[in-house]
């Protein structure tokens, strides 16, 4: 698949706005591992090879284990590998990424409140929204994966 266009050069203002969200995410209380789990799981759902390549590498760089990355797509069958807090993050990621199915359910939101304060929940939502936007950009433009 050949690249269609590069939004960073074609519409630099839009790209700069997306980078503003990335800058914001660097200031949040979410750990690197939490952010990468969100990014990988959303990218799996959205079938974004570019982001999967990037974020699995980043996750390993931050100390994530290859085994957890390998089984992340089936995490509900391997819950013992993920903390309860991470399970909530992953459930939120799935429900928000697949927003048209049922959205962020009340059950998941209440579970999130048992682990995170309102500010952290807002940060999690923004992390999920941001990776979903990046996935849509990469998939729509056929962003090439570096070999």
């Amino acid at each position: 698949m050949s690249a269609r266009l590069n939004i960073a050069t074609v519409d630099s203002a839009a790209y700069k706005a997306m980078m503003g969200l990335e800058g914001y995410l660097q200031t949040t209380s979410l750990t690197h591992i939490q952010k990468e789990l969100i990014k990988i799981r959303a990218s799996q759902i959205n079938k974004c090879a570019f982001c999967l390549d990037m974020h699995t590498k980043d996750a390993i760089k931050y100390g994530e284990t290859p085994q957890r990355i390998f089984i992340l797509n089936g995490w509900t069958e391997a819950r013992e590998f993920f903390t309860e807090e991470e399970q909530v993050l992953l459930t939120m990621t799935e429900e928000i990424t697949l927003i048209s199915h049922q959205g962020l359910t009340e059950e998941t939101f209440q579970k999130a409140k048992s682990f995170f304060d309102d500010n952290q929940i807002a940060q999690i939502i923004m992390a999920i929204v941001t990776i979903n936007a990046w996935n849509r950009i990469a998939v729509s433009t056929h962003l090439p994966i570096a070999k």
Side-chain angles (χ1 to χ4, degrees):
M1 213 175 337
S2 61
R4 291 178 170 162
L5 58 89
N6 183 333
I7 288 184
T9 56
V10 173
D11 192 346
S12 61
Y15 188 80
K16 185 177 178 181
M18 285 298 301
M19 290 307 294
L21 283 171
E22 283 300 320
Y24 156 76
L25 292 174
Q26 296 307 312
T27 70
T28 68
S29 63
L30 299 175
T31 68
H32 289 298
I33 296 295
Q34 288 172 327
K35 287 185 272 194
E36 295 307 322
L37 288 174
I38 289 168
K39 291 174 182 180
I40 295 167
R41 187 65 194 116
S43 298
Q44 289 172 331
I45 293 166
N46 292 322
K47 300 179 183 178
C48 182
F50 180 87
C51 293
L52 283 167
D53 180 65
M54 176 190 297
H55 296 298
T56 54
K57 290 174 182 174
D58 287 348
I60 289 170
K61 180 178 74 176
Y62 293 129
E64 184 55 88
T65 66
Q67 183 181 29
R68 284 184 10 131
I69 293 170
F70 297 154
I71 64 174
L72 186 56
N73 198 41
W75 73 270
T76 58
E77 298 296 320
R79 291 181 185 272
E80 67 272 16
F81 288 89
F82 300 93
T83 67
E84 287 184 65
E85 185 176 275
E86 290 170 335
Q87 291 177 40
V88 170
L89 280 174
L90 294 169
T91 302
M92 289 178 71
T93 301
E94 291 178 1
E95 289 180 0
I96 293 169
T97 299
L98 299 167
I99 197 82
S100 67
H101 290 194
Q102 62 183 353
L104 181 59
T105 64
E106 188 62 27
E107 177 184 358
T108 300
F109 183 74
Q110 291 305 320
K111 281 184 187 175
K113 288 182 74 81
S114 69
F115 291 100
F116 307 105
D117 63 30
D118 286 348
N119 191 265
Q120 291 169 313
I121 292 171
Q123 293 170 0
I124 293 164
I125 291 170
M126 290 309 299
I128 297 165
V129 166
T130 302
I131 189 57
N132 273 278
W134 283 122
N135 289 164
R136 282 149 178 74
I137 290 167
V139 171
S140 299
T141 63
H142 294 176
L143 202 58
I145 301 168
K147 292 187 179 185

